[in-house]
Amino acid sequence: MKLILVLGDQLSPDMAALKAADRERDLVVMAEVGAETGYVPHHPKKIALILAAMRKFAARLEADGWRVAYTRLDDPGNAGSIPGELLRRASETGASEVIATEPGEWRLIEALGGLPLAVTLLEDDRFIASHAEFDAWTEGRKALRMEYFYREMRRKTGLLMEDGQPAGGKWNFDHDNRKPAKDDLFAPKPLWFEPDDTVAGVLDLVEDRFGGNFGTLRPFGHATDPEQAGQVLDRFIAEALPLFGDYQDAMLSGNRFLYHSLVSAYLNIGLLDPLEVCRRAEAAWAEGHVPINAAEGFIRQIVGWREYVRGIYFRGGSDYARQNKLNHQRKLPALYWGAPTRMNCLSHAVAQTRDEAYAHHIQRLMITGNFALIAGIDPAEVHEWYLSVYVDAFEWVEAPNTVGMSQFADGGVIASKPYVSSGSYIDRMSDYCGGCHYRVKDKTGARACPFNLLYWAFLDRHRDRFEANPRMAQMYRTWDRMDAAHRRAVLDGAQGFLADMGRGAEV
Ligand code: FAD
Ligand code: DLZ
Ligand code: SF4
């Protein structure tokens, strides 16, 4: 008899470890453990989603004839960690072999490797590119740009391909996207699932144990099984996908979800299959229900970005998340954990994160991420924040997005230039600036938008690194054309702002 480990983000009936198991003889081990609920202060909604989905998945496995040893968080005898639970089950049953699907985090891969049991780690084949395929793609390349990897994935899957050529004559329709949005009463609303008994039990447990973590637990309406997650996808394809491309980068104070799919958490924990999700988007385009820029933009996020960042994380090794190539050392300000701020854009992004455990890509990249980068925050602290607060956050996908793409702490492996902007980008893509204490048009002075100050101070501080970058030369030329007194006022303003923030003042 072998122990078959199934983790909280491995909730698919065709996980590699389950495919390799013998349903009659082996024992599936699933465990709610303090080490996983506590390695960062997860948002209560994230813990609730995972525990509820784990309980439902275990019940299904049992109904399908599997023997499951399931440990609840409050079970007496809970060993407190995944390795501890495996050892406990091994001593109870006499088993000495474990089959596991490779976890999505180096921390846990290393912990399993240290067990005094024979552990077989199988590659997680829910992904389109295997580790070997990704590594082969990187071979001999100077730059690892997502766009070229994405084309390989389109060829491999045949998604949006016609006679070996990209449908619509182009690989990438981003040029047609990125429009600002207006409030629209008819914009799609996210699906909502009333908690059933399983979910209600988990909510009580999470409230009791993790009620002090940053984040609002109730109301909780997430999907917690594959059927519900499938309904979220159906709703997205029918109502939001047609405008997904157009408004992908837009931000509105009155609409937290816009035309996004909200499926990342379900993909990441195994309730939805990435290739099937993409095939649905492709079919919607083939039927004429959605335009090519929407279908292509959406499919690119999944077979392109999602696969690519996973490849980068595993290729980077166990120190991936500890990189800090820009040597940023400032502490993450309390405003990220909900302390009041006068910056309306950050106030909205953080409040939405607290309430929903969700923010869309541009809010993560160009509001919270952009600010942390231009303010020079330690990327390890930024990483811990993102890993904690989003319902879809698992290190294989969160760390490359945060440490690599957003904080440029990898020195430019993922991004060819840092994702930094002044307030004007935020003003163009959102309606945040109108209601802000600061004035987005002010470049200096007491009410100058902090993004305007910090943006130039960042470029000035990192001149040695970025001046020669052809994509940034124009910015340096603009900076150099400003008169010296103005430049001084900007740098002094940035320094004053950071000093205020550093001593805990409301900024
Ligand atoms: P949509 O906008 O509808 O996109 C569709 C799907 O594409 C998503 O569900 C997701 O699976 C995939 N996708 C889109 N962009 C990316 C990307 N850059 N990397 C990987 N997959 C992508 N995504 C996570 O799943 N987990 C994270 O922990 C996470 N952390 C992030 C941290 C930062 C700093 C940034 C900038 C991005 C992060 N992302 C993360 C990527 C992206 O923001 C989320 O996948 C997306 O916002 C999820 O919402 P959605 O399902 O509505 O996505
Ligand atoms: C995120 C998470 C949480 C909050 N709790 C559990 C848990 O109690 N048991 C479990 O098996 N998995 C949990 N997870 C998911 C793991 O942290 C995840 O599998 C690893 O980080 C690897 O991606
Ligand atoms: Fe954000 Fe600046 Fe706009 Fe205020 S003015 S919302 S700080 S970008």
Side-chain angles (χ1 to χ4, degrees):
M1 188 201 71
K2 294 176 185 148
L3 302 179
I4 310 300
L5 177 65
V6 175
L7 294 166
D9 55 354
Q10 300 183 338
L11 308 180
S12 315
D14 55 356
M15 285 310 297
L18 287 169
K19 282 190 287 197
D22 180 336
R23 199 179 297 222
E24 309 296 317
R25 297 182 43 200
D26 294 340
L27 180 68
V28 175
V29 175
M30 295 182 69
E32 304 171 4
V33 289
E36 296 309 309
T37 56
Y39 60 85
V40 289
H42 300 285
H43 194 296
K45 277 196 166 83
K46 177 182 177 188
I47 304 178
L49 168 66
I50 289 169
L51 301 194
M54 282 176 72
R55 290 182 183 191
K56 290 188 180 186
F57 185 69
R60 268 179 205 223
L61 287 179
E62 280 176 335
D64 286 348
W66 291 92
R67 294 193 306 131
V68 182
Y70 191 95
T71 307
R72 291 186 173 208
L73 202 57
D74 49 4
D75 279 349
N78 185 321
S81 70
I82 296 294
E85 278 294 302
L86 286 169
L87 285 173
R88 184 162 79 104
R89 298 303 183 190
S91 83
E92 279 169 10
T93 59
S96 59
E97 282 182 62
V98 177
I99 302 183
T101 311
E102 182 182 73
E105 190 169 341
W106 286 109
R107 173 185 61 86
L108 212 44
I109 294 175
E110 287 171 354
L112 293 181
L115 273 172
L117 298 167
V119 179
T120 305
L121 278 192
L122 301 174
E123 186 159 344
D124 189 342
D125 57 12
R126 289 176 294 174
F127 292 88
I128 293 155
S130 65
H131 292 324
E133 279 173 310
F134 188 81
D135 291 344
W137 175 75
T138 63
E139 213 56 22
R141 281 174 196 268
K142 274 227 294 278
L144 303 181
R145 295 291 162 243
M146 192 288 297
E147 182 64 28
Y148 297 106
F149 172 76
Y150 164 57
R151 293 178 190 181
E152 293 294 308
M153 294 298 100
R154 289 270 298 276
R155 289 194 188 94
K156 177 173 178 183
T157 57
L159 282 162
L160 298 179
M161 296 297 289
E162 292 171 333
D163 303 325
Q165 296 304 313
K170 279 198 293 188
W171 290 104
N172 183 319
F173 287 81
D174 241 3
H175 182 64
D176 305 348
N177 298 346
R178 308 195 166 142
K179 300 186 176 75
K182 287 206 187 65
D183 266 330
D184 179 355
L185 286 178
F186 302 103
K189 301 271 177 303
L191 261 192
W192 175 269
F193 301 94
E194 211 43 58
D196 55 25
D197 289 349
T198 306
V199 177
V202 166
L203 291 181
D204 288 343
L205 175 75
V206 171
E207 182 162 51
D208 185 39
R209 300 227 172 174
F210 307 101
N213 287 11
F214 171 80
T216 314
L217 175 62
R218 297 175 213 261
F220 179 93
H222 277 80
T224 47
D225 62 40
E227 288 72 27
Q228 291 178 339
Q231 290 172 37
V232 173
L233 177 65
D234 292 345
R235 162 81 69 105
F236 166 69
I237 302 265
E239 296 184 11
L241 181 58
L243 290 174
F244 173 85
D246 287 0
Y247 299 128
Q248 201 178 339
D249 290 4
M251 296 171 281
L252 282 181
S253 341
N255 185 336
R256 294 172 161 182
F257 307 104
L258 282 152
Y259 297 87
H260 290 275
S261 65
L262 318 181
V263 296
S264 49
Y266 310 133
L267 287 168
N268 296 349
I269 68 174
L271 302 186
L272 290 176
D273 175 70
L275 198 51
E276 259 174 58
V277 169
C278 291
R279 297 248 179 262
R280 289 285 309 280
E282 181 188 44
W285 165 74
E287 288 154 12
H289 171 62
V290 308
I292 186 79
N293 70 310
E296 188 281 317
F298 180 72
I299 287 171
R300 174 160 25 92
Q301 306 311 314
I302 296 181
V303 302
W305 280 110
R306 187 171 183 272
E307 294 284 328
Y308 166 83
V309 297
R310 176 174 182 266
I312 294 283
Y313 175 73
F314 280 105
R315 186 174 173 273
S318 56
D319 281 340
Y320 182 85
R322 284 192 273 274
Q323 299 172 92
N324 187 1
K325 292 276 168 37
L326 298 183
N327 192 24
H328 282 174
Q329 302 293 345
R330 215 165 253 111
K331 298 221 98 28
L332 190 75
L335 69 90
Y336 278 78
W337 299 108
T341 169
R342 293 185 285 196
M343 292 178 278
N344 198 34
C345 51
L346 273 159
S347 175
H348 267 281
V350 173
Q352 154 170 359
T353 300
R354 180 198 59 216
D355 295 347
E356 317 286 355
Y358 177 83
H360 73 63
H361 188 67
I362 293 302
Q363 293 173 305
R364 298 187 205 196
L365 188 64
M366 298 310 293
I367 306 288
T368 43
N370 181 13
F371 182 80
L373 178 56
I374 59 183
I377 312 293
D378 180 349
E381 296 209 4
V382 184
H383 158 60
E384 180 172 321
W385 185 78
Y386 280 99
L387 189 57
S388 308
V389 301
Y390 291 114
V391 72
D392 55 22
F394 300 91
E395 199 175 276
W396 65 267
V397 53
E398 177 277 331
N401 270 297
T402 304
V403 175
M405 185 192 304
S406 163
Q407 298 304 296
F408 209 81
D410 63 357
V413 175
I414 294 190
S416 55
K417 73 178 183 60
Y419 283 97
V420 288
S421 83
S422 65
S424 59
Y425 170 84
I426 297 171
D427 193 28
R428 193 166 64 249
M429 296 312 300
S430 79
D431 62 358
Y432 295 143
C433 297
C436 188
H437 161 86
Y438 296 104
R439 288 196 284 248
V440 71
K441 301 272 185 272
D442 286 10
K443 312 292 181 211
T444 57
R447 300 285 287 275
C449 165
F451 284 83
N452 293 344
L453 302 170
L454 297 175
Y455 170 74
W456 292 115
F458 170 88
L459 290 181
D460 188 63
R461 192 163 73 243
H462 291 296
R463 184 161 205 139
D464 285 353
R465 180 177 285 271
F466 295 127
E467 190 174 27
N469 181 328
R471 299 189 61 205
M472 299 179 76
Q474 178 58 39
M475 299 171 189
Y476 281 99
R477 278 198 291 276
T478 307
W479 176 236
D480 291 341
R481 272 200 303 271
M482 296 177 196
D483 74 64
H486 179 79
R487 274 184 280 152
R488 191 69 264 151
V490 169
L491 296 179
D492 288 349
Q495 207 176 21
F497 175 87
L498 290 173
D500 288 347
M501 189 173 85
R503 64 179 169 77
E506 182 179 333
V507 289

